[in-house]
């Protein structure tokens, strides 16, 4: 994936200054390309000085499979009317980098030649006016091009751009429908494809069972060995143990599910325990390991969370920490120490594990199947967030709550599932009420890698609403903002 950078100028300055503009822009692009915070290659393409050059560049951008976003810098004054035709056709996210080549004003030597050449300060305003007038969504980053803070902000946008690009034409498989009578996991799959770019289609559970049955003993042996090497395995699951056949069946599930997803070029999937006819046990371990490999997942047919999780996985690539499917499960209401226990029946991604996960088998008490194999672990303490995409009927809202993951107060010996505990910002009382007022789902993408800024950029690219619950949230003002937002989006 690449970010293409262009500098805006005009022929008024003459060939000498334009050559210098190109040299400056190329150097800035190299600087950004070498910044550790920017995960994708930054390529300087050209200086654009006419409407024809801009339109030609846009055609190249739109036809590229490598370019996921465009960085535009107005080195000098670029009359913005010449950008209209090109901007109206551009099909990639835009980052307007409002920077300048030199960090400081050369107080002793500055003259009119310097002033004429270094005109980002008002060239960027001319360009910004036109994009505002045209209603073009974009990100504006202000700062010197060597600034680490600017690199961080560009890097967040680059990760969102990569996620947005990865979802264009992406395929999501649903095995069975959503959980019966549940509202929030429903949604309009046609409008989702128009908005986000991915397609969601259903497939028979029998197709998966056929894949399970086709797994060879040799393949199962190899996968079981991987389990024994990677995890702390309960004695009953080891070779010769009373439940070893259950572990082999879990391996059979992973092989079958993985082959189906790979052969169909799927990036995310859902299932529901109400519709798994032919399964001997619910697929816990298989789902956990597939999420660890980057697949999106949503339980109970929740395809919106599955797609969001996949996008978040792409955003997070290469960053320390983990990202997982999650659900708010139960509260701790001790005064002054309120917190949330998050988990799910089986399907929590081991990328958020603190230490080596334990591979265990236990009764589930729901689903009516044999005892399922699953990874059990806690997650580490540290900053995190929960995010949810919800269908409000005709539009989508991306809801984010910033949280602080904490260590459980005590061991949880009778809760043999993967889990995490967090304190939501600004506190549980306000955060939970705000989440409910905003219509947030009980399923989320939980991440200690992805930031609110990345999700904000992603929402801008998708053209959807972003609503954030953080340490500054005031419930009365939050409800007013929701009401204003409803009015705004209804008018679009």
């Amino acid at each position: 994936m690449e970010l293409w950078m262009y500098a805006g100028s005009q022929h008024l300055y003459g060939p000498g200054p334009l050559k210098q503009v190109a040299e400056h822009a190329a150097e800035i692009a190299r600087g950004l390309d070498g910044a550790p915070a920017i995960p994708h290659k930054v390529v300087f393409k050209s200086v654009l000085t006419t409407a024809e050059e801009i339109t030609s560049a846009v055609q190249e951008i739109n036809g590229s499979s490598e370019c996921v976003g465009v960085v535009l810098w107005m080195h000098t004054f670029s009359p913005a009317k010449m950008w209209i035709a090109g901007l109206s056709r551009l099909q990639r996210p835009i980052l307007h980098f409002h920077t300048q080549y030199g960090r400081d004003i050369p107080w002793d030597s500055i003259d009119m030649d310097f002033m004429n050449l270094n005109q980002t300060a008002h060239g960027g305003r001319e360009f910004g006016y036109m994009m505002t007038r045209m209603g073009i969504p974009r990100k504006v980053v202000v700062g010197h091009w060597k600034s680490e803070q600017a690199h961080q902000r560009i890097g967040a946008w680059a990760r969102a751009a990569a996620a947005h690009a990865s979802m264009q034409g992406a395929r999501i498989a649903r095995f069975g429908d959503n959980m019966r009578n549940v509202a929030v996991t429903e949604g309009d799959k046609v409008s989702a494809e128009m908005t986000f770019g991915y397609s969601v289609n259903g497939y028979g559970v029998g197709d998966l069972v056929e894949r399970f049955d086709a797994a060879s003993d040799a393949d199962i042996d190899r996968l079981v060995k991987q389990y024994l090497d990677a995890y702390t395995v309960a004695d009953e699951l080891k070779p010769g143990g009373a439940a070893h056949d259950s572990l082999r069946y879990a391996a059979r599930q992973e092989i079958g599910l993985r082959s189906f997803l790979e052969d169909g070029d799927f990036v995310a999937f859902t299932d529901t325990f109400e519709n798994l006819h032919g399964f001997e046990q619910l697929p816990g371990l298989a789902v956990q390991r597939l999420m660890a490999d980057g697949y999106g997942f949503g339980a109970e047919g929740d395809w919106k969370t599955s797609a969001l999780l996949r996008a978040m996985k792409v955003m997070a690539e290469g960053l320390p920490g983990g990202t997982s499917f999650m659900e708010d499960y139960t509260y701790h209401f001790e005064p002054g120490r309120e917190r949330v226990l998050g988990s799910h029946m089986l399907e929590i991604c081991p990328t958020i594990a603190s230490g080596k996960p334990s591979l265990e088998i236990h009764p589930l008490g729901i689903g009516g199947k044999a005892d399922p194999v699953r990874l059990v672990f806690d997650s580490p303490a540290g900053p995190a967030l929960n995010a949810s995409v919800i269908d409000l009927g005709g539009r989508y809202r991306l809801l984010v709550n910033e949280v602080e993951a904490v260590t459980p107060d005590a061991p949880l010996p009778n809760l043999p599932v993967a889990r995490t505990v967090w304190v939501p910002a600004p506190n549980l009382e306000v955060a939970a009420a705000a989440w409910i007022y905003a219509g947030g789902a009980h399923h989320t993408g939980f991440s200690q890698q992805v930031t609110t800024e990345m999700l904000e950029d992603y929402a801008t690219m998708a053209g959807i609403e972003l609503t954030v619950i953080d340490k500054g949230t005031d419930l009365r003002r939050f409800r007013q903002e929701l009401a204003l937002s409803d009015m705004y989006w209804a008018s679009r």
Side-chain angles (χ1 to χ4, degrees):
M1 296 184 179
E2 296 179 350
L3 309 174
W4 287 4
M5 179 174 166
Y6 297 84
S9 189
Q10 60 178 315
H11 283 289
L12 175 67
Y13 299 100
L18 286 179
K19 180 181 178 182
Q20 190 170 357
V21 170
E23 291 171 352
H24 286 176
E27 184 178 348
I28 290 175
R30 288 192 297 270
L32 299 181
D33 185 52
I38 300 176
H40 305 301
K41 186 175 182 179
V42 180
V43 180
F44 173 63
K45 300 297 287 186
S46 64
V47 179
L48 302 176
T49 59
T50 67
E52 292 74 20
E53 290 175 355
I54 294 167
T55 301
S56 177
V58 167
Q59 290 173 345
E60 183 183 9
I61 293 165
N62 290 344
S64 170
S65 59
E66 292 82 20
C67 177
V68 299
V70 181
V71 179
L72 300 175
W73 172 44
M74 301 302 110
H75 184 298
T76 49
F77 194 83
S78 180
K81 285 176 65 177
M82 69 184 185
W83 286 87
I84 294 174
L87 290 175
S88 65
R89 293 168 173 81
L90 185 57
Q91 298 171 1
R92 296 291 186 278
I94 299 171
L95 184 140
H96 179 187
F97 194 18
H98 195 56
T99 189
Q100 61 188 28
Y101 179 73
R103 190 192 70 174
D104 304 329
I105 295 174
W107 303 104
D108 295 336
S109 61
I110 187 170
D111 56 19
M112 285 308 300
D113 288 339
F114 182 94
M115 293 275 282
N116 286 333
L117 184 62
N118 295 273
Q119 296 191 51
T120 289
H122 69 290
R125 284 167 167 76
E126 165 77 357
F127 184 66
Y129 163 77
M130 185 51 67
M131 285 198 288
T132 297
R133 177 73 181 270
M134 296 176 69
I136 295 175
R138 76 280 193 188
K139 181 171 188 172
V140 179
V141 174
V142 180
H144 192 250
W145 58 278
K146 291 184 178 181
S147 161
E148 290 186 7
Q149 182 177 0
H151 296 168
Q152 292 286 346
R153 299 205 63 210
I154 295 171
W157 172 83
R159 291 181 175 280
H164 182 262
S166 75
M167 299 308 288
Q168 306 310 302
R171 305 183 67 198
I172 298 173
R174 297 182 76 210
F175 301 109
D177 203 349
N178 67 307
M179 185 176 175
R180 289 187 283 274
N181 293 316
V182 176
V184 76
T185 54
E186 293 281 8
D188 185 338
K189 294 187 285 294
V190 174
S191 70
E193 187 165 353
M194 294 168 62
T195 301
F196 299 103
Y198 58 76
S199 65
V200 184
N201 289 288
Y203 297 88
V205 174
D207 295 334
L208 268 186
V209 175
E210 289 181 1
R211 298 281 182 139
F212 296 170
D213 294 341
S216 70
D217 287 340
D219 288 339
I220 292 172
D221 290 342
R222 281 191 290 270
L223 189 53
V224 167
K225 184 178 185 307
Q226 290 182 31
Y227 297 162
L228 297 173
D229 292 341
Y231 311 118
T232 301
V233 181
D235 288 341
E236 62 264 36
L237 292 175
K238 294 178 180 178
H244 184 63
D245 284 345
S246 294
L247 182 63
R248 292 183 65 82
Y249 184 77
R252 184 181 295 276
Q253 285 182 315
E254 180 179 340
I255 292 167
L257 185 52
R258 189 180 294 273
S259 71
F260 187 97
L261 296 174
E262 289 178 349
D263 290 349
D265 198 27
F266 297 102
V267 301
F269 65 102
T270 72
D271 63 22
T272 173
F273 65 89
E274 289 184 327
N275 191 355
L276 291 177
H277 180 72
F279 286 37
E280 294 180 15
Q281 60 177 276
L282 299 183
L285 177 61
V287 173
Q288 290 179 296
R289 284 174 53 85
L290 285 163
M291 276 194 287
D293 287 341
Y295 284 94
F297 173 76
E300 292 116 40
D302 188 352
W303 51 269
K304 294 188 296 297
T305 299
S306 175
L308 175 63
L309 183 62
R310 167 60 183 178
M312 293 172 69
K313 290 277 189 182
V314 175
M315 291 179 210
E317 185 175 359
L319 295 175
T323 296
S324 177
F325 173 77
M326 187 58 67
E327 179 175 276
D328 288 39
Y329 237 88
T330 192
Y331 294 139
H332 183 74
F333 272 131
E334 179 186 354
R337 300 189 71 256
E338 295 87 351
R339 55 203 59 205
V340 180
L341 173 64
S343 183
H344 206 255
M345 295 186 301
L346 302 169
E347 307 96 345
I348 299 299
C349 180
T351 60
I352 68 168
S354 177
K356 181 184 286 190
S358 176
L359 185 56
E360 303 177 14
I361 182 170
H362 300 277
L364 189 61
I366 192 171
K369 303 290 181 182
D371 297 349
V373 178
R374 84 292 298 269
L375 295 172
V376 177
F377 53 82
D378 292 307
S379 65
L385 58 75
N386 278 298
S388 171
V389 167
I390 48 179
D391 185 341
L392 294 175
R395 67 183 179 93
Y396 293 90
R397 172 178 288 157
L398 176 54
L399 181 59
V400 177
N401 186 195
E402 297 179 353
V403 306
E404 184 74 20
V406 296
T407 303
D409 289 0
L412 300 163
N414 297 315
L415 186 65
V417 293
R419 63 268 168 149
T420 185
V421 179
W422 66 79
V423 178
N427 55 60
L428 177 56
E429 179 184 0
V430 172
W435 191 273
I436 290 170
Y437 277 125
H442 53 289
H443 292 161
T444 62
F446 171 88
S447 183
Q448 292 183 304
Q449 300 170 296
V450 175
T451 65
T452 299
E453 185 173 14
M454 295 178 200
L455 292 171
E456 179 181 14
D457 292 338
Y458 183 73
T460 298
M461 295 169 191
I464 64 171
E465 176 190 357
L466 175 79
T467 302
V468 178
I469 304 167
D470 58 16
K471 63 182 181 181
T473 297
D474 172 83
L475 200 55
R476 182 179 294 111
R477 187 166 59 247
F478 183 84
R479 295 181 67 185
Q480 292 172 342
E481 291 170 353
L482 289 177
L484 292 173
S485 182
D486 288 341
M487 293 171 61
Y488 166 77
W489 287 95
S491 68
R492 284 172 62 92

